[in-house]
Amino acid sequence: MRKIVAPCGFHCIKVKNLGVSFGGEAVLEDVNLHIHCGSLNAVIGKNGAGKSTLVRAMLGDIAHTGEIEFRDTKDGRMQKLKIGYVPQSLNIEKNTPVSVYDLLAGFQSRYPVFLPRRKKYKGKIAGALRVFEAEDLIDRQICNLSGGQLQRVLLSLAIMNEPNLLLLDEPVSGVDQGGTEVFFETMDYLKKNYDLAIILISHDLEYVKKYADHVILLDRTILRQGSPREVFSSEEFHKVFEGGL
């Protein structure tokens, strides 16, 4: 796990004229974003607006037009973008004999997880789990975790390789209000203490309003973006959400 480093402010992610089509029909078009490290950026919109498609395009899972680049604006050098990702859901079979350690170790090495644990991986895994107060789950089976516990494990997995960008697709879906509050508090901690940017898809508008630095209102294209105050008071927001909050 990395040493805590405050966001440097020199890194940014640029999305230029991104578009996605399925069967000749545009799902996303002309999407432009400029995201800085140390910021929580919330993507909001109705179901079917293209929010998850945007995440999949940024992950490279689906074909798209336009460009996605990571730039070090301190000296102008182009670098490879490292992305951490937490999906909306994860299907796990009952009685799957995979522990939290096995899951995280499997993403770190080709070394078989059923062999004795290597200290360097155990320490790294424990450190990542510690960030989300999940270190006590390291030996638990994945299939026996609650929704909130699994969320913390997946977040730990997402930050293990020190990403420049953390993509979260409705990660608190099915989590109770107390868990949602803790989640957003943790995101606030991450953006202030780690050199990364966060893009979060969320339907929890009250939490977005409270915690987000930048809000993107999406409906196939970006209808409005800016501070929570700017977006939530906009005509576009009120048309999409029929009167707002």
Side-chain angles (χ1 to χ4, degrees), residues 149-166:
Q149 289 171 332
L150 179 59
Q151 175 209 78
R152 286 185 283 151
V153 169
L154 293 177
L155 284 166
S156 302
L157 175 60
I159 68 167
M160 279 190 68
N161 288 328
E162 304 182 2
N164 311 114
L165 174 64
L166 184 58

Side-chain angles (χ1 to χ4, degrees), residues 11-15 35 57-60 67-71 78-84 161-167 195-197 199:
H11 301 151
C12 65
I13 294 95
K14 289 185 177 181
V15 177
I35 304 298
M58 296 188 75
L59 287 168
E67 300 177 23
I68 301 170
E69 66 179 37
F70 173 61
R71 183 177 295 276
M78 299 297 292
Q79 300 183 29
K80 184 178 180 180
L81 177 63
K82 291 191 294 183
I83 298 178
N161 288 328
E162 304 182 2
N164 311 114
L165 174 64
L166 184 58
L167 293 174
D195 196 12
L196 54 74
I199 295 179

Side-chain angles (χ1 to χ4, degrees), residues 1 34 155 176 222:
M1 194 56 213
H34 191 172
L155 284 166
D176 62 26
I222 294 177

